[in-house]
Amino acid sequence: MSKSLLLSLIFSFTLLSAPSFAEQKSQLGPYEVHYIAFNSTFVTPEIAKLYDIQRSRYNALINISVLDSRNKNKPAVAVKLSGTARNLIGNQTNLDFKEVREGEAVYYLAQLRFSNEETFRFEITVDDGKSQQLLKFQQKLYVD
């Protein structure tokens, strides 16, 4: 099985596996931004090794994709992402996004350490080189 197919399957599984991992999206200017945060243990050891993902019960994976909603086919858009995750007591972590290209698909992955039932407020800047949009969302993370 190809690595592309494996990665697609694992992300499809996480999107469909449980309501607490439901995909979310936001319209930011001309872009439809899809985002999800889930426990890194949902990624197989093979995929984790391939993409340098640290699997741990206390490590979340943030997955973001940006689509151009001006085109009816909504092609993936390569952008620069930067951002932070802040817990409810104010501790902030900078997110380091890595780009993953799978054919025409483009994903951005970042890792985040957390404690059980810890809630984070995410602020992520989507920069296409011409303008910047700000994605904000909040999510509670659970130890697997």
Side-chain angles (χ1 to χ4, degrees), residues 24-41:
Q24 299 172 341
K25 68 180 177 178
S26 183
Q27 188 69 38
L28 299 177
Y31 302 120
E32 186 175 285
V33 181
H34 294 254
Y35 55 94
I36 184 171
F38 58 93
N39 195 299
S40 64
T41 59

Side-chain angles (χ1 to χ4, degrees), residues 1-16 38 42-44 47 50-51 63 100-107 109:
M1 185 177 292
S2 74
K3 69 179 182 178
S4 176
L5 182 56
L6 279 173
L7 186 62
S8 296
L9 287 174
I10 193 67
F11 284 119
S12 296
F13 170 75
T14 59
L15 293 175
L16 299 173
F38 58 93
F42 285 99
V43 176
T44 65
I47 296 297
L50 184 65
Y51 292 101
N63 179 14
V100 175
R101 290 184 179 254
E102 299 267 330
E104 294 182 15
V106 181
Y107 302 94
L109 304 175

Side-chain angles (χ1 to χ4, degrees), residues 122-136:
F122 295 90
E123 290 192 6
I124 299 164
T125 301
V126 179
D127 185 347
D128 67 2
K130 297 176 187 172
S131 65
Q132 295 181 344
Q133 306 288 336
L134 186 61
L135 172 66
K136 292 183 178 185

